[in-house]
Amino acid sequence: MRKPIIFGNWKMNKTNAEALEFVNGVDAHVTDKADFGVAVPFTALDTSIKAANNLKIAAQNVHFEENGAYTGEISVPMLKELNTEWVVLGHSERRQYFNETDADVQKKAKVSLEAGIIPIVCVGETLFEFEADKTESVIRKQVSGCLSGLDGEDVAKLVIAYEPVWAIGTGKSATSEIAQNSCAIVRDEVRNLFGDDVANKVRVQYGGSVKPDNIEEYMSQEDIDGALIGGASLEVESFKAIIDAIK
């Protein structure tokens, strides 16, 4: 049975002090019913990791080179020095604003896995693609591109987050049926690439306006193993409510 995995993604929010306040407010409330965590800005990684006993802490990005002339980027060795164990890769905002490609995500996933850092790989279609009935083809292309050349055992360890771009920060959310169908496509593409065993082990999240009052409906779906949560992960009380909703 796949263990549920619930991560908040803070994006470019929270100072170091605010991150510490959040971790201190949530950590003791974390249960073992799921892997609960938050993806924090790089500036808050060290403080958050040291403060968290139960809450898992992820970076929001990493570069695929170990070092070099990449101003403003963060490398795997930098994350490892801070004892980072998780990283979010290929979020739609990284793709949209910084022109990241599936090939970029694949290289980042490869170096992360080699270093023992677990990637949460994001995939999902835009509103234009959704309305053009291209959801399945987009998901399969992204999953295939992001995981190409990776080892099946490593793929079984990582997490894939299906996030329809049209449901991120818009207040819109996919119905549980749409989310389930799309997450099933993610798993099926993993099955095509790596076989049944890997497909049955890999954890698939849904992300897109997930809140305390709708997370149970999503989590009841067969192929949805967790959630990647934006705005509702920024406040202590709403994140604690999400923890309480996982039975």
Side-chain angles (χ1 to χ4, degrees), residues 23 35 40 61 67 93 106 128 134 154 159 230-231:
V23 173
D35 287 330
V40 309
N61 187 35
N67 51 62
E93 291 159 1
Q106 188 274 345
F128 173 80
K134 294 182 178 179
D154 283 336
V159 180

Side-chain angles (χ1 to χ4, degrees), residues 125-135 138 166 172:
E125 80 281 17
T126 65
L127 180 60
F128 173 80
E129 291 164 337
F130 175 72
E131 291 180 341
D133 198 27
K134 294 182 178 179
T135 295
V138 170
W166 49 271
K172 299 178 181 178

Side-chain angles (χ1 to χ4, degrees), residues 7-52:
F7 260 80
N9 178 23
W10 287 353
K11 309 185 181 184
M12 196 177 69
N13 290 291
K14 293 197 183 295
T15 63
N16 211 24
E18 290 168 340
L20 180 60
E21 182 181 9
F22 179 95
V23 173
N24 287 339
V26 168
D27 194 71
H29 200 74
V30 171
T31 72
D32 61 359
K33 293 178 181 177
D35 287 330
F36 293 101
V38 287
V40 309
F42 182 75
T43 51
L45 266 176
D46 189 43
T47 294
S48 300
I49 289 170
K50 288 176 177 176

Side-chain angles (χ1 to χ4, degrees), residues 5-7 120 122-125 159-183 186-187 203-211 214-215 217-219 221 223-230:
I5 179 165
I6 310 296
F7 260 80
I120 299 174
C122 300
V123 299
E125 80 281 17
V159 180
I160 303 174
Y162 165 66
E163 290 199 305
V165 179
W166 49 271
I168 300 172
T170 62
K172 299 178 181 178
S173 55
T175 64
S176 57
E177 181 180 7
I178 290 173
Q180 161 58 27
N181 288 344
S182 296
C183 288
V186 169
R187 195 176 308 284
R203 292 186 287 182
V204 181
Q205 296 176 310
Y206 167 70
S209 298
V210 177
K211 304 176 180 66
N214 64 17
I215 190 169
E217 183 179 355
Y218 289 119
M219 292 297 294
Q221 305 301 310
D223 287 291
I224 299 178
D225 306 309
L228 189 59
I229 301 163

